[in-house]
Amino acid sequence: EVEYDVGDYQAVAQRLTSLAQETDAILLVPPDQVEAVGQTYDGHSTPYLMPQEVPLEPEDTARKLEEMVSRHPNIFAIFREEQGVDPDQFIEGWLNRHTYRGPTEWYGGVRLVMFGASTAGISDSFDDSGEMEHPLDIELGERIRLLGYTLAEESVEPGRIVRLTLFWRANAPLSERYAVFAHVLDEEGQLVAQQDGEPVGGSRPTSTWSAGDVVADRVGILMPVDVAKGPYRLMVGMYRPDTGERLPVLDKNGNAVDAPPAEGNSITLGTILVE
């Protein structure tokens, strides 16, 4: 019999009740959490239990993940001691590559990770610049360029995930690890939502980039359930996780830029409308 803290799952269930809709999926890794979730959550999102066998079978698991992602706009993954059934983090790694990773929240020993599903189908290769809807070609810190971005939607409802793809290119080999930030600001410049983390959910750290590498980084930004309707500004950039220091935005001559669309070492991408 699996031991669990019912209080942890009650907190998770409360969060799911505020966010998850009937069209969404709830993924349980490992599957033996089903009793705890069943006793605490009475919503109508579709549950998925993975992996269905141990040791995990990669091809079968990938097929089931693809089916799940194709059917649901958002995935709420609940992880607890998943090392016992997925020591290589195959499931989370697959989601990092194929969906838009949103925030991670801890409830005691339970981890809730939110993912926005793709509308463009499943593919292992997102390096084709043909998918990039908004070219920019802006330099950050001399060795990294933001080639452009694609925004899956320009309007979103409160409590939903904004799906953003950032296309990075390395100008030279990198030894340092940088984190990406995506911030949503209101008309007064106040932060209302954000998603920070290393590229591709941490699976493509900048320290592994080689000169010429193009990395398509899918980012999911969860809008608060109580956010007011109206326009919001979307800004992105990179920073050093150990110090918080942002990489400077540079012009073609290598000089720092602090004017639109680059302000405060961040780059304004556009506007998100909350409806």
Side-chain angles (χ1 to χ4, degrees), residues 104-118:
T104 297
E105 299 174 358
W106 283 90
Y107 299 88
V110 182
R111 185 165 56 103
L112 176 63
V113 187
M114 306 167 205
F115 299 90
S118 171

Side-chain angles (χ1 to χ4, degrees), residues 186-198:
D186 64 17
E187 292 181 313
E188 285 73 44
Q190 298 299 310
L191 182 68
V192 298
Q194 69 183 95
Q195 179 60 26
D196 289 32
E198 292 189 84

Side-chain angles (χ1 to χ4, degrees), residues 124-220:
D124 272 319
S125 177
F126 297 120
D127 292 349
D128 181 2
S129 60
E131 295 183 15
M132 184 176 62
E133 294 183 355
H134 304 283
L136 291 174
D137 199 18
I138 296 176
E139 189 166 335
L140 286 84
E142 298 182 351
R143 294 189 176 187
I144 298 174
R145 300 192 79 84
L146 178 60
L147 298 179
Y149 70 98
T150 295
L151 198 57
E153 58 273 294
E154 295 183 355
S155 63
V156 66
E157 295 177 358
R160 297 278 87 184
I161 291 176
V162 176
R163 296 170 297 171
L164 169 69
T165 306
L166 301 170
F167 293 85
W168 306 102
R169 186 180 70 196
N171 293 339
L174 296 165
S175 58
E176 293 191 67
R177 297 177 70 153
Y178 300 113
V180 177
F181 68 86
H183 291 174
V184 177
L185 308 178
D186 64 17
E187 292 181 313
E188 285 73 44
Q190 298 299 310
L191 182 68
V192 298
Q194 69 183 95
Q195 179 60 26
D196 289 32
E198 292 189 84
V200 196
S203 61
R204 289 296 307 275
T206 55
S207 58
T208 66
W209 294 4
S210 300
D213 281 356
V214 175
V215 176
D217 181 20
R218 292 184 165 194
V219 180

Side-chain angles (χ1 to χ4, degrees), residues 146 164 166 181-183 234-238 265-269:
L146 178 60
L164 169 69
L166 301 170
F181 68 86
H183 291 174
L234 177 60
M235 305 188 74
V236 301
M238 280 192 175
N265 290 330
S266 61
I267 302 163
T268 298
L269 299 187

